[in-house]
Amino acid sequence: MARIRVADEDKVMSQQELTDYIMERQSSEGVWERKVSECLTSSVDENSLKEYIHRGQEFGRISFDYSDRDTVLGKLSLTAGSYLLNAGMVLFGETPYNDLQMAVFAGTERLTFLDIQREHGTIFELVDRAEKYIFKNIRWRVEFGSLQRKEIPEIPVDAVREALINSFCHKEYGTGQNNEVSIYKDRVEIYNPGTFPAGYEPEDFISGRERPIRRNPLIAQTLYYSKNVESFGTGLKRIAEACDAAGCKYKFEVLKSGIVVVFYRSDENFDTTGTDTTPVTIPVNTPDKDIRSKIVSLCLNAPQTREQLMQACGMKNKAHFLKAYLKPMLETGELQLTVPDKPNSRNQKYIAVRHTTGEVR
């Protein structure tokens, strides 16, 4: 029979108190994520790992170069011999623990659904798929400014991505439950199967002075290196600030089975009157949106070489810069080549064209 010391008295712990205590100890020590999985390091996709390292280097959070798969994973503390730790498995490997269920419902209750999808993959893959799914199924409006067309979703991009990252970063993986994205007529819910720290409320971490409590510190650290996590323990506050700035109502629900971030879809907060309702591009890799905006701004003023753009954006890896920014922006029409017939010309520069409508393409 388990007991806990309370003041000068030994109190018998209830089954729920004992369960909470064990979960708290395991969470604080990152027990599950540091166990050795059955997933070999050879199952990790090298291209994805290289992209991760390049991204961490660009943001100044990873100082070493990519050498080979096992060495890099070892430097990230994600391996034990030729096997991945559980943290490495859900981040980069083949795992039975990462399932995501997404659905669009016809009304405001969990009854008739218009679409349902089930996805499986790494944390990085599932966050991107969930983000695309949400932005494909909510409303957007378009504003035309003096320089460019601005596409605005009814729920702020930064808040959605932060909630998705948090849902995998703080998940209790050992429960076997799925992460969920549910889109209703009046709201969007992102569900995370992970209990909230006992004795705390979401508001404690939004406006209070409480320090972060990380269920999976190794996973959080790895996501921090690539700037998927901006800084430790600020997720709820960043969601709240992004929603407040956009006038989007939100709520954090603490359930017995997990945590739900609720974003409300309201015509009061989102008015499409007089706006262009043309389908808009779903943003990908949203932490990079400021860099893309900067590239467009520079190329509007004057044609820019790749070297000039890299220097202005603080980038160093040419191959990564081309793959992550310039090529996608050429494909979407955000940029054009000054020498289109010779893409590899030494005189090549990039331009952004302003059309008469004010739209930048």
Side-chain angles (χ1 to χ4, degrees):
M1 185 175 296
R3 295 176 179 271
I4 186 171
R5 189 73 172 176
V6 179
D8 295 328
E9 179 184 357
D10 286 335
K11 177 185 175 184
V12 177
M13 298 177 72
S14 68
Q15 184 60 46
Q16 185 59 51
E17 288 174 328
L18 179 58
T19 299
D20 290 344
Y21 175 78
I22 293 172
M23 290 302 298
E24 182 179 350
R25 287 292 302 274
Q26 289 185 339
S27 298
S28 63
E29 297 170 4
V31 171
W32 181 89
E33 64 172 0
R34 293 187 180 276
K35 288 183 178 179
V36 181
S37 75
E38 296 181 357
C39 184
L40 291 167
T41 58
S42 58
S43 68
V44 173
D45 179 70
E46 278 205 275
N47 290 330
S48 298
L49 188 57
K50 287 178 182 178
E51 183 68 20
Y52 168 83
I53 296 299
H54 289 156
R55 182 178 174 81
Q57 289 176 328
E58 298 292 3
F59 289 111
R61 296 183 177 181
I62 292 179
S63 59
F64 57 86
D65 292 327
Y66 187 91
S67 52
D68 61 84
R69 182 168 42 203
D70 285 12
T71 299
V72 167
L73 290 169
K75 287 182 177 180
L76 294 172
S77 302
L78 297 175
T79 60
S82 59
Y83 289 88
L84 291 169
L85 300 184
N86 281 339
M89 174 182 63
V90 296
L91 284 161
F92 296 109
E94 297 176 355
T95 170
Y97 291 95
N98 274 353
D99 283 310
L100 170 66
Q101 183 169 297
M102 302 181 291
V104 178
F105 294 92
T108 60
E109 297 184 16
R110 201 179 181 87
L111 297 173
T112 305
F113 59 83
L114 303 176
D115 180 70
I116 188 166
Q117 295 186 24
R118 189 182 183 91
E119 298 282 352
H120 182 81
T122 67
I123 289 177
F124 297 103
E125 291 169 339
L126 294 184
V127 167
D128 282 342
R129 292 172 196 171
E131 184 180 17
K132 291 176 184 178
Y133 189 82
I134 290 172
F135 290 128
K136 179 182 177 181
N137 288 290
I138 64 174
R139 297 185 297 269
W140 292 69
R141 62 185 170 90
V142 178
E143 290 182 353
F144 290 98
S146 58
L147 291 179
Q148 63 184 25
R149 155 182 168 145
K150 188 175 182 181
E151 301 166 350
I152 303 173
E154 58 181 322
I155 302 171
V157 170
D158 290 345
V160 168
R161 188 164 182 90
E162 193 74 42
L164 289 170
I165 287 288
N166 277 358
S167 73
F168 287 96
C169 189
H170 300 294
K171 174 180 178 178
E172 288 179 9
Y173 286 89
T175 65
Q177 290 181 274
N178 301 330
N179 292 68
E180 295 180 5
V181 168
S182 302
I183 301 176
Y184 299 90
K185 188 175 181 180
D186 65 337
R187 68 194 187 280
V188 173
E189 295 184 352
I190 297 175
Y191 167 76
N192 158 30
T195 56
F196 207 75
Y200 294 88
E201 298 292 336
E203 190 62 29
D204 294 331
F205 300 96
I206 297 173
S207 59
R209 292 172 50 82
E210 294 296 342
R211 296 298 184 263
I213 298 175
R214 297 186 291 274
R215 173 167 289 109
N216 302 301
L218 184 53
I219 292 175
Q221 174 178 278
T222 308
L223 293 172
Y224 172 79
Y225 289 154
S226 58
K227 211 176 180 181
N228 290 96
V229 169
E230 183 62 34
S231 58
F232 293 137
T234 62
L236 297 186
K237 186 174 183 179
R238 289 170 63 81
I239 293 170
E241 289 177 347
C243 287
D244 288 341
C248 175
K249 295 180 181 179
Y250 65 92
K251 180 172 66 174
F252 300 106
E253 290 186 348
V254 179
L255 310 177
K256 291 181 179 179
S257 60
I259 304 164
V260 182
V261 181
V262 183
F263 299 107
Y264 288 100
R265 309 174 62 187
S266 172
D267 290 335
E268 181 181 349
N269 295 327
F270 186 83
D271 183 7
T272 57
T273 304
T275 60
D276 183 350
T277 57
T278 304
V280 297
T281 303
I282 300 169
V284 182
N285 296 328
T286 53
D288 299 335
K289 67 182 185 303
D290 291 339
I291 295 175
R292 294 177 71 132
S293 296
K294 187 170 186 177
I295 292 172
V296 169
S297 178
L298 291 167
C299 293
L300 269 174
N301 295 327
Q304 302 285 316
T305 66
R306 180 172 64 177
E307 289 72 19
Q308 288 173 322
L309 292 172
M310 288 177 61
Q311 183 177 3
C313 295
M315 299 293 185
K316 298 179 180 179
N317 188 294
K318 292 183 179 180
H320 173 67
F321 188 70
L322 182 64
K323 178 181 178 182
Y325 301 101
L326 298 184
K327 282 188 175 180
M329 294 177 74
L330 287 169
E331 291 172 358
T332 61
E334 294 171 87
L335 297 179
Q336 293 182 8
L337 298 175
T338 55
V339 190
D341 296 336
K342 297 180 180 180
N344 298 319
S345 171
R346 58 188 297 181
N347 298 317
Q348 189 66 261
K349 293 185 178 182
Y350 299 83
I351 57 173
V353 180
R354 185 186 294 113
H355 292 258
T356 56
T357 60
E359 179 181 356
V360 174
R361 302 200 54 174

